[in-house]
Amino acid sequence: VTYFKVKGNSENFFVAGRNLPVWVLVCTLGSQCLDASSALGNLDLAYKYHFWDGAVLPLGLGLSLIIVGLFLAKPMNEMKPLTLPDCFARVYGEAAEIVVSLVTLVSFIFLLAGNLVGCGKIVSFLFGMDEYLGIMLATFLIWLYSAAGGLLSVAYTDVIQAAIGWTGFFVATCWIQQNMPNHAGVSPAYPLGDRPSIGDGMADPDSYDPIPNAIFFNWATIIVLALGNCMALDFQA
């Protein structure tokens, strides 16, 4: 359907014609923040290590949305670029455009890899297939609808994914709270378990003994996500 709506127009393909409804934007921004890699990573880190190890992911991503809404969305929309390098080209010249293109290409390859692995794990679990086959299947399906309709395809499939994903998270959270341990157990890395240090996990360098650097990585994760995710230009434009 979105293939026919694009009609060969580059603005429709790259930035959905700059006229997506607000409710679609809310759903698609929310589903982007809760993608496969961050969702599975959040659950794994929070349960395996400590509360803050998982909580830093949604905190950083949520802070990014606030920064974008307050400072970046309006000027970016007024500039009317098609890609992030367009913005740098207009302000700093063609050399900056090339550098930013290369940097974003490399960074988004890593982001895409994480999401594809997460999607593959989910597909392989649901349908009982080999994990690598699940990754290839997820890759093909994502490529197919993205190539067909560009950002329009991404936006409207995100609405469906958001509805299913948010419902699933809510139901799964209720089930986990009733049927599983509510904190990580004692381990060689965290001899005290989770509960004694949860309150100081972002402030006391000794709370994660014997690995105090975990606090550094938690704060670094929040800062990197809060600022780095602002470069997701598509829905700002």
Side-chain angles (χ1 to χ4, degrees):
V1 174
T2 53
Y3 172 80
F4 295 105
K5 292 189 68 174
V6 170
K7 299 177 180 178
N9 186 300
S10 60
E11 191 169 273
N12 287 339
F13 186 86
F14 283 104
V15 290
R18 307 184 199 277
N19 59 0
L20 285 174
V22 174
W23 67 271
V24 174
L25 282 174
V26 171
C27 290
T28 197
L29 286 172
S31 63
Q32 279 195 335
C33 288
L34 291 175
D35 56 19
S37 60
S38 65
L40 295 181
N42 168 274
L43 297 174
D44 182 64
L45 290 171
Y47 184 77
K48 187 176 180 181
Y49 298 111
H50 285 263
F51 170 82
W52 289 111
D53 292 77
V56 292
L57 295 176
L59 287 175
L61 292 169
L63 185 58
S64 173
L65 292 179
I66 294 173
I67 294 173
V68 167
L70 291 177
F71 303 108
L72 295 177
K74 184 176 180 180
M76 285 291 185
N77 184 262
E78 292 173 349
M79 192 179 290
K80 298 191 181 302
L82 290 179
T83 64
L84 178 64
D86 283 348
C87 302
F88 284 83
R90 297 179 192 183
V91 179
Y92 302 108
E94 292 184 358
E97 180 182 19
I98 295 173
V99 172
V100 172
S101 298
L102 295 174
V103 171
T104 53
L105 180 63
V106 172
S107 64
F108 275 91
I109 286 174
F110 284 99
L111 175 64
L112 180 61
N115 282 324
L116 291 178
V117 170
C119 288
K121 286 181 177 291
I122 294 172
V123 171
S124 64
F125 176 79
L126 291 176
F127 298 102
M129 63 177 65
D130 181 77
E131 186 174 309
Y132 292 103
L133 181 60
I135 293 173
M136 289 188 287
L137 179 61
T139 301
F140 174 73
L141 293 175
I142 294 171
W143 171 84
L144 185 64
Y145 75 72
S146 298
L151 191 63
L152 279 170
S153 294
V154 174
Y156 284 100
T157 54
D158 278 350
V159 173
I160 301 173
Q161 293 169 15
I164 297 173
W166 295 342
T167 302
F169 275 121
F170 176 77
V171 173
T173 299
C174 294
W175 185 89
I176 289 171
Q177 290 294 324
Q178 293 296 321
N179 296 278
M180 297 186 70
N182 60 9
H183 67 284
V186 173
S187 69
Y190 298 96
L192 299 179
D194 191 46
R195 284 183 174 176
S197 61
I198 188 172
D200 301 321
M202 295 294 285
D204 182 2
D206 295 322
S207 64
Y208 278 18
D209 184 73
I211 313 177
N213 286 336
I215 292 179
F216 167 79
F217 287 116
N218 284 344
W219 278 108
T221 300
I222 291 178
I223 295 170
V224 168
L225 287 175
L227 300 179
N229 208 53
C230 293
M231 298 299 101
L233 178 66
D234 40 16
F235 293 104
Q236 299 176 41

